[in-house]
Amino acid sequence: MARRGFLAGAAAMTGTALTSTALTSTASAGTAHAARAGAGKGIDTGPLALTHVTVIDGSGAPPAPGMTVVVEGGRITALAPSAHIRLRPGTRAVDLTGKYLIPGLIEAHTHSDGPETVIPALYALAGVTTVREMRGLPVHHEWREKIRRGALLGPRWVVGSPIVDGAPSLWAADVGPTIEVRDVAEARRAVRRVKREGADFVKVYSRLSREEYFAVADEARRQGIPHLGHCPDTVRIEEASATGHRTIEHLHALLLATSRHEKEIRRRLAAVRIDPRDPSSLSRYHSWFRQVHPLEWRAVQGYGRDRADALFRRLAADGTAVVPTLGVHRTLELPDDVPSRAEEWKYLPAWQVESWPDQLAALTGGRTPEQVRRIRRIFAHRLRLVRELHGAGVRLAGGTDTGTGYLVPGFALHDELALLVAAGLTPAEVLRAATGDAAHALGLPGVGTVARGQAADLLVLDADPLRDIRNTRRIHGVVVDGRWIPPQERRLLLAAVEDAAAQTPPPQEGATMTGCGCGGHP
């Protein structure tokens, strides 16, 4: 497989002959029903009451034991102590004594690609009930529509535009459509185009010029569509924040903006060159990060706490959120710490998983001991930035950059939560970053908390996540858009996903990456 696909995740699986019926045909009749109706709005299963459960509502309020949550029509219709609530006849009651109920998790940064028999269901069954797609493609709109109709089990999907970048982009044609803009007029046309195509937001990228970026921001405001993504190299973060830039993805720009050497670094960034004749996105990124790594190290050496405090206060005041994506940073910056195996890898094709080590070595090999030491220091500094962002009141949202090797859809977010705790947040604060705060950052009212009138996207756990954030992995059952998937049914559905992944053929030659690749320091 060589390097192909490391930053693609399941990208090479697009076009597989598997259909949505493949998932259901490998499961029991009850499981087949869940796969068809588990996430959609087309089938009303009647009122559902989850009783005697401890509710952690995603708002930061203390846990509430002994509660009943009533669900009907995809919404929470009642929430009260079990001892004080009377269920109406015909309500299906599920006793969850000793269990913990939290909002369904929100994954704020993904690049999903692969067969619909694997990827959408994998998110939902891992407890991720909302996904924000950071490089929208027609298939994501197709999945979203099928999920809405009840024809496919999957999460609520927020679908962005194709990447809007300057020329030459960090993305070559081998990854699919990227919108390269060369002047202000093209930047404005790009915004109008992606709105017509149904994107929920404009995804901006690193190589936009100042003029192009501000044209995108202004046209997005005129068109009533959010803009977000990378803060371009030519734009200071406080300038982007002032335009209404909704979320800043990754920590690269923050690393530079909090350094006393920012002016020097930005001059050197302006000298970074990408060969427009290079047909390989992986090769372009390899070249890009080789040039950028010394600048990030220079930024860390010049870190200024006063600068950081002032910037973070500005972000908090403007309401600009940050999605740190620590998981992808860890994979590509601390490759020696990457696990040699994980249980959830079985839900992806074996050929894909087996290719990861060689691909990671191709991206990160050849570092000198001094480079390794510096990169570990850079990663530790990223954790510090996350802690200080949170301390300054900047809203954080949990996101992984799934689409990169070693990050399994849905499951990767649980690892991201643990990394946020390692950065210094409490488990309660981390849960908010993946529920209520993430919903606010994504502009999703009615999602992300457990309250009357909210969407019935819920996760039931066997152990208390406030005692140990790793307990979010101890999933008892999930409620996806009001549909309860109990333990046995969930196990059968996961087995069906595993079978579907095993039947997925290797990619054709030429398949390549679709993820951001934003953490890769070769």
Side-chain angles (χ1 to χ4, degrees):
M1 300 294 295
R3 295 155 138 193
R4 182 182 59 228
F6 179 76
L7 300 177
M13 295 187 283
T14 302
T16 175
L18 293 178
T19 66
S20 59
T21 57
L23 177 61
T24 62
S25 66
T26 58
S28 68
T31 303
H33 173 77
R36 291 191 301 271
K41 299 179 180 179
I43 299 176
D44 186 359
T45 58
L48 166 72
L50 306 175
T51 69
H52 304 97
V53 69
T54 296
V55 172
I56 302 168
D57 68 7
S59 73
M67 300 293 286
T68 287
V69 180
V70 180
V71 170
E72 189 170 8
R75 292 280 163 185
I76 297 172
T77 57
L79 172 64
S82 298
H84 301 154
I85 194 167
R86 178 177 295 179
L87 302 179
R88 80 170 196 255
T91 300
R92 180 170 50 131
V94 179
D95 187 349
L96 295 175
T97 300
K99 308 300 182 187
Y100 297 82
L101 184 146
I102 65 174
L105 300 176
I106 298 174
E107 161 65 276
H109 191 121
T110 66
H111 296 272
S112 308
D113 209 349
E116 67 178 33
T117 50
V118 173
I119 305 302
L122 203 50
Y123 282 119
L125 296 172
V128 175
T129 56
T130 299
V131 163
R132 185 173 67 170
E133 198 65 42
M134 297 302 292
R135 183 191 182 119
L137 298 171
V139 68
H140 302 130
H141 294 275
E142 293 169 11
W143 289 350
R144 177 163 65 179
E145 181 56 30
K146 288 184 178 181
I147 291 166
R148 285 173 173 170
R149 295 200 318 264
L152 186 64
L153 173 62
R156 188 181 312 274
W157 229 296
V158 179
V159 182
S161 71
I163 287 172
V164 178
D165 203 2
S169 172
L170 294 184
W171 293 96
D174 58 348
V175 300
T178 296
I179 303 175
E180 286 189 339
V181 301
R182 293 169 176 79
D183 55 38
V184 166
E186 288 188 358
R188 291 185 180 276
R189 283 198 295 271
V191 174
R192 295 193 292 269
R193 166 189 158 182
V194 301
K195 183 180 179 181
R196 286 195 307 271
E197 293 174 350
D200 294 319
F201 60 88
V202 183
K203 167 70 180 291
V204 297
Y205 221 66
S206 304
R207 301 289 285 176
L208 286 167
S209 71
R210 287 179 60 82
E211 295 77 16
E212 291 158 359
Y213 171 79
F214 289 117
V216 166
D218 181 67
E219 190 65 30
R221 180 185 58 80
R222 292 170 181 267
Q223 298 296 325
I225 183 172
H227 69 286
L228 56 95
H230 292 208
C231 184
D233 297 337
T234 56
V235 178
R236 298 195 312 276
I237 288 181
E238 56 266 40
E239 293 178 309
S241 181
T243 70
H245 194 113
R246 176 170 284 178
T247 62
I248 295 172
E249 308 301 308
H250 319 296
L251 296 168
H252 297 297
L254 287 161
L255 205 69
L256 306 183
T258 54
S259 175
R260 294 185 301 273
H261 306 315
E262 181 180 13
K263 289 184 178 179
E264 169 202 336
I265 292 168
R266 291 200 180 279
R267 285 197 301 271
R268 293 170 64 184
L269 270 176
V272 171
R273 293 290 179 265
I274 299 298
D275 186 351
R277 299 167 298 179
D278 191 337
S280 166
S281 294
L282 187 59
S283 176
R284 289 190 186 192
Y285 257 108
H286 193 279
S287 169
W288 170 255
F289 281 116
R290 280 193 181 279
Q291 297 175 76
V292 167
H293 163 64
L295 305 186
E296 291 209 322
W297 175 242
R298 178 67 170 156
V300 171
Q301 289 178 303
Y303 178 68
R305 182 61 188 269
D306 291 346
R307 291 177 61 89
D309 288 345
L311 174 60
F312 297 166
R313 286 195 300 269
R314 176 64 182 270
L315 295 180
D318 289 344
T320 301
V322 174
V323 185
T325 65
L326 291 172
V328 70
H329 285 302
R330 180 181 62 176
T331 297
L332 292 162
E333 293 172 4
L334 277 61
D336 291 343
D337 296 354
V338 169
S340 59
R341 60 175 299 174
E343 179 69 16
E344 61 263 28
W345 291 1
K346 66 185 179 183
Y347 301 123
L348 296 177
W351 54 259
Q352 179 186 347
V353 171
E354 290 166 0
S355 72
W356 286 343
D358 287 346
Q359 294 163 357
L360 182 59
L363 282 167
T364 63
R367 293 171 175 169
T368 67
E370 176 62 17
Q371 287 175 324
V372 170
R373 184 187 70 82
R374 288 181 176 182
I375 291 170
R376 295 189 78 90
R377 286 271 304 275
I378 290 172
F379 181 77
H381 189 71
R382 296 192 200 283
L383 296 181
R384 175 181 179 175
L385 288 180
V386 169
R387 181 168 62 252
E388 293 179 358
L389 282 161
H390 175 72
V394 178
R395 183 175 286 108
L396 301 177
T400 64
D401 211 353
T402 287
T404 305
Y406 294 92
L407 301 180
V408 176
F411 290 89
L413 185 58
H414 297 274
D415 293 333
E416 186 74 19
L417 303 187
L419 285 169
L420 289 171
V421 168
L425 279 66
T426 69
E429 292 164 344
V430 168
L431 283 180
R432 284 187 60 181
T435 57
D437 282 356
H440 190 282
L442 271 60
L444 292 175
V447 175
T449 58
V450 183
R452 186 173 180 179
Q454 292 287 96
D457 294 332
L458 306 168
L459 181 54
V460 178
L461 305 173
D462 285 326
D464 185 358
L466 300 183
R467 295 180 65 88
D468 187 339
I469 196 63
R470 292 172 296 182
N471 286 336
T472 60
R473 281 181 166 268
R474 297 183 61 180
I475 297 172
H476 178 76
V478 295
V479 179
V480 184
D481 196 18
R483 272 55 177 184
W484 168 239
I485 303 177
Q488 182 179 6
E489 197 165 20
R490 178 175 174 270
R491 286 192 294 270
L492 290 169
L493 282 168
L494 283 170
V497 169
E498 182 179 357
D499 288 345
Q503 297 172 36
T504 302
Q508 298 176 351
E509 285 298 319
T512 186
M513 64 185 186
T514 59
C516 268
C518 301
H521 291 276

